[in-house]
Structures are given as C-alpha cells and as structure tokens.
Amino acid sequence: MDRINPESKSVLCTFLDKNNQSKYVFFTQKRSAGDINIGFTNGEDVWKTHLSEEIVSQLFKKFALKSTEDCTVKLKYACKAGRAFVKLQEDSAVLHLGPEPTDLSLSLSKLTVSEGRTEVKELLFKMADSLQQLESQGASSSFSPVKNPQKRSSEYEPRNHHTGPIVAVRKRLPGDSLINPGTKRKKPATGVAFDDGDDE
C-alpha cells in the first residue's frame, strides 16, 4: 500500500450503488506531488487505485478542470449524484460514475486484509477528527461574552408577579359598620327581647 504523505487532504462521501443499493464510503487522498489516490470501501473490503499526474491531466482536459481540488470535488459529486455503480471482481473492481459510455470509469485493485484494515482505521480517525473540528467550530461560534453583568445578574433575581388589581386595605376604626364600611353605627346593639308571657 502506498504511504500517504502527511500533507495529503482527504475527501469523504457515501454513495449507494444504483443497481443493488449497496452502500460504500468513497474517499480521495490528494498528495503533494499533484497526483491522487482514490478508493472506496463497504466497511469490510477496500478497493484503491492511484491516479498519476498524467491521468489527472487527462481528467482536467475531459472535464475542463483547473486544479486537483476541482478533480476531487468532481469525483465526489459524481458519486453523490445517484448514478454510480460498482462491478466487483475477484481481486479488483470497476467504479462507474454513470451509465453512459462517456461517463468516467475507474479500475481499482482490492487491498489485502491487513492493508484494508489499516485503510479503514485511517478513514475512521479522519472522520472522527472532522466531527471534532465541526463541534469546536460550532462551540466557538455560539459563545458570546456578557456585556452587562449587572443586567445579566438581575435576570436571576426573583420577581413579584401581580395577577390582579392592587386593592388598598383600609383600617377599620372603632364604631365602623361591618356591613357598610365607612359609616358609623347609629345605635348600639341591644340584642333581641323575648316576651315572658305564658303560651296558651
């Protein structure tokens, strides 16, 4: 297996085989020399090939590309367009990026078991690093410093909520009527008088 330059950049995407709906992870590895490694895996087996600088130049002319970045993006979106399919053989595979004869087809070699495990391991850590980077960017963008600490602290103080109109309670003075507040009782209460006559 080719040793990947530490400065290489990877492009990852998933695609479904339009014929049998098998799912694959497609990846490209741009190298500093200007050439590209491409491959795909189903999670168990890995197929990979090396696109020399000469082949990359041919792709530039065929698809009117200007850089290797354009080439990797072109391959990525061709896989995600839903028209790609794979023809597997015993020790190789052909990746067709479309059903038409003019569409690009790439022949890839199947890696050995040990090489495939190493490649899947590198892809796994690459995806984990990408997720961690996205989470870090999201956390930094959502953070905003407190401009007015006094205003912020007041938000956590308890508030008195009034659910109805405020009614002033007037203190009752001696002699005020309980039935009609504010008026004086005219006569003191004398109670109820009962006649002592005998019942007939």
Side-chain angles (χ1 to χ4, degrees):
M1 183 179 66
D2 295 334
R3 182 176 296 275
I4 304 302
N5 191 293
E7 298 178 355
S8 65
K9 298 180 180 179
S10 299
V11 175
L12 300 172
C13 70
T14 59
F15 74 94
L16 289 175
D17 190 311
K18 77 178 189 66
N19 291 336
N20 58 16
Q21 299 300 304
S22 297
K23 195 169 187 178
Y24 298 95
V25 175
F26 175 80
F27 61 91
T28 66
Q29 296 165 329
K30 177 193 170 187
R31 294 153 46 110
S32 58
D35 50 5
I36 303 172
N37 287 337
I38 68 169
F40 63 91
T41 177
N42 58 5
E44 297 179 358
D45 299 318
V46 181
W47 296 265
K48 191 175 180 180
T49 190
H50 171 70
L51 300 182
S52 64
E53 191 173 357
E54 181 181 357
I55 297 177
V56 173
S57 298
Q58 293 176 1
L59 294 176
F60 283 2
K61 295 178 181 179
K62 183 175 182 178
F63 297 105
L65 305 176
K66 297 180 180 180
S67 64
T68 53
E69 287 82 1
D70 292 342
C71 184
T72 56
V73 172
K74 177 72 175 179
L75 294 172
K76 175 181 177 180
Y77 282 99
C79 287
K80 295 180 66 176
R83 302 169 66 236
F85 62 96
V86 175
K87 288 186 177 180
L88 299 178
Q89 300 175 0
E90 184 177 356
D91 57 354
S92 63
V94 179
L95 174 62
H96 298 272
L97 299 180
E100 302 298 331
T102 55
D103 292 327
L104 182 64
S105 297
L106 301 171
S107 179
L108 300 91
S109 300
K110 185 178 181 179
L111 301 184
T112 64
V113 174
S114 60
E115 291 175 338
R117 288 177 179 174
T118 301
E119 194 69 45
V120 171
K121 180 180 178 181
E122 291 179 358
L123 291 174
L124 180 63
F125 280 104
K126 177 65 179 179
M127 288 186 285
D129 291 339
S130 299
L131 290 175
Q132 185 175 6
Q133 184 177 4
L134 289 175
E135 290 178 355
S136 299
Q137 292 175 353
S140 61
S141 61
S142 61
F143 174 76
S144 59
V146 179
K147 296 181 179 180
N148 191 345
Q150 294 181 352
K151 181 179 179 181
R152 186 173 182 85
S153 61
S154 64
E155 295 177 357
Y156 297 96
E157 295 179 356
R159 299 177 181 178
N160 295 325
H161 297 280
H162 299 284
T163 57
I166 299 175
V167 179
V169 179
R170 181 176 177 272
K171 184 177 180 181
R172 189 172 67 88
L173 299 176
D176 285 350
S177 173
L178 294 175
I179 299 176
N180 296 318
T183 62
K184 295 287 186 177
R185 290 196 300 266
K186 297 180 180 180
K187 295 181 180 181
T190 58
V192 179
F194 295 93
D195 294 335
D196 294 335
D198 295 335
D199 294 335
E200 294 181 357

